[in-house]
Amino acid sequence: MKEIIQINLDNEMDLILAHKRCMKIAEMCGMPSSFQTRFSTAVSEIARCSIAKGTDSLLVLGINIIKATQKEIVAVITDTVDLKSCSPEAFNYASKISGHIEYSYANNQSVTKISQPVTAPGLLSETKIKSLIDYFKFEPPLSPYDEIRKKNIELIALSEKLAESENKYKRLANTIPVLICVVNERNNVLLVNESLENYLSLPLLIFDKKTLGNFVHSQDIEEILEGWNKAKQNKSDYIGEARIKKGQDYIWHLVSIIPNKAEDGSFTSWLVYFVDINAQKMIVETLKDNTELKAIQRELESANSKLRFKNKELEQFAYIASHDLQEPLRKIMIMLSRAGEHLSEDQKKKYYFDRITLAAGRLSNLITDVLNYSRIENKEQYFEPVDLNDVLQEVLADLSMVIEEKNAIINVNPLPVVPGLDTQLRQLFYNLINNALKFNTSLPTVTVSYEDVPKDVNLVTSAENYHVISIADNGIGMDSKYSERIFDMFQRLHERDQYGGNGIGLALCRRIIENHNGMINFSSKPGEGTTFWIYLPKK
């Protein structure tokens, strides 16, 4: 149904509005006067019942397009009361007049639908329906009551938008890690955000020397007040530094006092920000008179500049590897395919077609693996909560064809939610489970478990700070003498014709784990399978 207009049913005046607008819509749709009256009367009868007996009543008038040649005017009255039980005679009368009435009541919601087919549906084009909507949108008031009601509806909408805007502002002010308050010209504190409230031991009500003394260092109070007085006199900004008390210590903060302007350019209040600059201040103080550290700083800046340049070169190399190296490989493989179309199998063997194709494919896989390894960045990134159960389901879906082909059995225990990077953790589990399926001569069985950290594991901090996930298989296993090699780049323990791959997968796993400040190790015996242990910090 395409909605034309809504009417809240609160009193008898709304009943008059409902009747008039039903008549008007029916008239504009080309409905004969007798049908206009029948439809409007049936709607009015239910609307009267809703006003008398109901609560939170709403009338919606619209056009229902059943198909191109079949359209109808529809009135839907909703209420939180079972109207039909309250006034069955009203519904009987409306049904007798209209003949097109439906009623339902469920979940404390009654819905009455009254419809009237349009005898000339061809007249109700999309343009016509839009004109109906615009007509009632800009319709002049039918009475002083209607005008007042429209103004009230507009005011309510504006107040809701204003409340929403204020809530967004408050959420923003309370979320950012900056201490904020709003002060008027009489030094009264009008607003304090949650960050500042949590920081203070006493409420901040007045922006004066006595109150500031509760949390500002005594040597910095006069400077703040002097800046505050100048800001008030000149209607200007003030920026300074002060030490703010936190526990038993004082932390350096940047203090900013900025006029809080209204839309018309006037202002009667100021925004006061306290931003933590203690780390920067300590560095400046330490470096102030220390020439040796200044020299080291210059060397570090130079090294950082060179490192940024090298990183840029590596990015360019990655681009070349992903495009310029892959492109000729694709062309070689396409030309080999085309060249071999007219050769027999003996001729293909004679000219080493199979070996050339395999070599090109291995080179393409190698380039892809190296690129994947290089994209695991070690720089600080924003970790988010990652549900490892979701990650594992996605990985198993990606490996579903391999699992089905090998008739593998995958056992999965519930896994935790960890802070991390979803894409990298998915790649970690994919590589380890794929290896478990690949390095296996029997029917593979892979078990993914979450359990307590083994006591014999040497971790940097307490074992309680880590999640441990194990991935165990019944594969070919490996000798413990290779424990120092398997996580290195391009390390392979088997011939290429036995098992595929380029020896990068486990190196990639270790880099992902290091990027998450965790650890990975394994236990294995030849012919008895392998268990990988993944340690991820809880925080």
Side-chain angles (χ1 to χ4, degrees):
M1 182 182 79
K2 295 199 174 183
E3 182 180 310
I4 303 298
I5 193 171
Q6 288 188 4
I7 302 171
N8 291 316
L9 301 174
D10 297 325
N11 53 50
E12 292 296 325
M13 295 300 297
D14 296 322
L15 183 62
I16 296 171
L17 292 177
H19 186 272
K20 287 186 176 181
R21 286 184 171 128
C22 285
M23 290 288 290
K24 190 64 179 179
I25 289 177
E27 176 190 347
M28 294 175 75
C29 290
M31 192 176 287
S33 58
S34 60
F35 287 102
Q36 295 177 25
T37 304
R38 294 169 70 89
F39 174 70
S40 302
T41 304
V43 174
S44 298
E45 192 67 25
I46 304 302
R48 181 182 288 105
C49 171
S50 188
I51 291 170
K53 308 287 186 179
T55 308
D56 298 327
S57 306
L58 178 67
L59 167 63
V60 178
L61 297 173
I63 305 295
N64 188 22
I65 302 174
I66 303 170
K67 55 185 178 180
T69 58
Q70 189 177 357
K71 299 170 186 175
E72 60 185 7
I73 303 174
V74 179
V76 178
I77 298 175
T78 56
D79 207 302
T80 56
V81 173
D82 186 355
L83 295 178
K84 193 170 184 179
S85 297
C86 295
S87 185
E89 63 279 359
F91 277 82
N92 291 335
Y93 181 64
S95 299
K96 186 182 297 183
I97 296 172
S98 172
H100 301 90
I101 184 168
E102 300 174 12
Y103 179 80
S104 64
Y105 179 74
N107 301 321
N108 296 322
Q109 180 79 14
S110 68
V111 179
T112 307
K113 178 182 175 184
I114 303 171
S115 60
Q116 183 65 46
V118 178
T119 54
L123 298 176
L124 278 182
S125 62
E126 290 289 337
T127 304
K128 177 67 175 179
I129 294 173
K130 185 178 183 303
S131 70
L132 286 173
I133 296 172
D134 290 341
Y135 174 83
F136 287 102
K137 184 176 181 181
F138 302 107
E139 177 191 27
L142 300 178
S143 64
Y145 170 80
D146 188 28
E147 184 174 7
I148 293 170
R149 187 179 186 86
K150 282 186 176 181
K151 295 295 183 183
N152 285 339
I153 291 172
E154 291 176 2
L155 287 173
I156 291 170
L158 285 173
S159 66
E160 288 176 350
K161 288 183 179 179
L162 179 61
E164 182 182 357
S165 178
E166 289 178 350
N167 289 333
K168 286 182 180 177
Y169 173 78
K170 286 180 181 179
R171 285 197 298 271
L172 176 62
N174 290 331
T175 302
I176 59 177
V178 176
L179 314 180
I180 303 174
C181 63
V182 178
V183 184
N184 66 12
E185 290 184 330
R186 295 184 299 278
N187 297 353
N188 294 319
V189 178
L190 306 178
L191 177 68
V192 177
N193 76 335
E194 289 183 2
S195 297
L196 183 53
E197 281 184 346
N198 297 334
Y199 206 92
L200 302 176
S201 56
L202 296 173
L204 181 60
L205 304 176
I206 304 292
F207 201 76
D208 60 6
K209 185 174 183 178
K210 181 180 178 181
T211 308
L212 291 177
N214 293 328
F215 65 97
V216 177
H217 197 287
S218 58
Q219 296 177 6
D220 302 327
I221 294 176
E222 291 299 332
E223 183 179 347
I224 291 179
L225 291 177
E226 184 180 346
W228 165 231
N229 289 328
K230 287 182 179 179
K232 285 194 294 183
Q233 292 171 7
N234 303 327
K235 308 293 184 183
S236 60
D237 300 349
Y238 164 75
I239 296 178
E241 296 178 357
R243 286 160 287 184
I244 308 298
K245 190 174 184 180
K246 186 175 185 180
Q248 300 301 317
D249 301 322
Y250 282 93
I251 307 298
W252 278 103
H253 282 70
L254 182 70
V255 184
S256 302
I257 302 177
I258 302 171
N260 188 18
K261 293 186 178 181
E263 291 184 0
D264 60 359
S266 64
F267 52 86
T268 56
S269 63
W270 277 258
L271 296 173
V272 183
Y273 301 91
F274 299 90
V275 181
D276 188 340
I277 57 168
N278 199 64
Q280 299 93 310
K281 192 74 174 178
M282 293 300 101
I283 293 173
V284 171
E285 293 294 327
T286 303
L287 295 176
K288 189 178 290 182
D289 299 316
N290 194 324
T291 55
E292 182 180 349
L293 284 178
K294 286 182 179 180
I296 294 173
Q297 185 185 25
R298 285 193 294 270
E299 290 178 6
L300 285 173
E301 289 175 354
S302 175
N304 284 336
S305 178
K306 292 177 181 178
L307 184 59
R308 285 193 294 270
F309 179 75
K310 291 296 183 184
N311 283 338
K312 192 67 178 176
E313 286 184 333
L314 284 174
E315 288 178 9
Q316 292 172 350
F317 166 76
Y319 177 82
I320 292 170
S322 62
H323 292 83
D324 296 3
L325 291 181
Q326 289 281 20
E327 186 59 30
L329 271 176
R330 282 193 289 270
K331 288 181 179 178
I332 289 170
M333 297 176 77
I334 290 170
M335 287 187 287
L336 281 172
S337 176
R338 290 179 180 175
E341 288 177 357
H342 304 293
L343 298 178
S344 65
E345 291 300 321
D346 291 337
Q347 288 175 318
K348 289 180 181 179
K349 291 179 181 179
K350 178 181 178 181
Y351 296 114
Y352 305 108
F353 265 63
D354 54 346
R355 296 186 186 181
I356 297 171
T357 303
L358 286 173
R362 285 199 300 271
L363 181 54
S364 179
N365 291 336
L366 177 60
I367 292 170
T368 301
D369 287 346
V370 171
L371 280 174
N372 288 337
Y373 184 83
S374 67
R375 285 170 181 157
I376 303 299
E377 299 177 351
N378 287 322
K379 67 182 181 182
E380 183 177 350
Q381 301 184 61
Y382 292 104
F383 283 7
E384 296 180 343
V386 179
D387 191 335
L388 294 182
N389 297 290
D390 295 340
V391 169
L392 194 58
Q393 289 301 317
E394 292 173 5
V395 167
L396 294 179
D398 292 341
L399 292 169
S400 59
M401 291 185 68
V402 180
I403 294 170
E404 185 178 345
E405 179 185 334
K406 295 202 169 193
N407 293 320
I409 298 173
I410 310 295
N411 301 313
V412 179
N413 293 333
L415 300 179
V417 175
V418 302
L421 302 170
D422 181 88
T423 305
Q424 292 187 17
L425 291 172
R426 193 183 307 119
Q427 197 165 18
L428 169 71
F429 279 87
Y430 180 91
N431 286 353
L432 292 176
I433 296 175
N434 189 40
N435 280 356
L437 297 170
K438 179 166 60 175
F439 297 106
N440 204 308
T441 57
S442 59
L443 293 177
T445 299
V446 183
T447 302
V448 183
S449 301
Y450 169 52
E451 51 196 277
D452 293 331
V453 178
K455 294 181 180 180
D456 59 344
V457 175
N458 182 20
L459 296 173
V460 176
T461 60
S462 173
E464 289 77 13
N465 296 329
Y466 286 83
H467 297 291
V468 60
I469 297 100
S470 64
I471 299 177
D473 64 57
N474 63 337
I476 60 175
M478 67 187 90
D479 199 305
S480 59
K481 67 181 181 181
Y482 298 120
S483 60
E484 298 298 324
R485 288 178 47 193
I486 67 165
F487 293 108
D488 293 336
M489 286 279 285
F490 305 115
Q491 291 298 316
R492 297 177 49 83
L493 305 183
H494 309 89
E495 294 299 326
R496 193 180 299 278
D497 57 357
Q498 288 181 291
Y499 300 97
N502 295 303
I504 295 179
L506 289 179
L508 188 65
C509 291
R510 182 171 66 177
R511 192 164 186 189
I512 292 170
I513 288 295
E514 290 172 351
N515 209 26
H516 285 74
N517 302 313
M519 191 177 80
I520 183 170
N521 59 22
F522 74 98
S523 59
S524 182
K525 287 184 180 180
E528 297 184 14
T530 302
T531 300
F532 280 93
W533 305 89
I534 302 168
Y535 305 91
L536 293 171
K538 294 181 179 179
K539 296 182 181 178

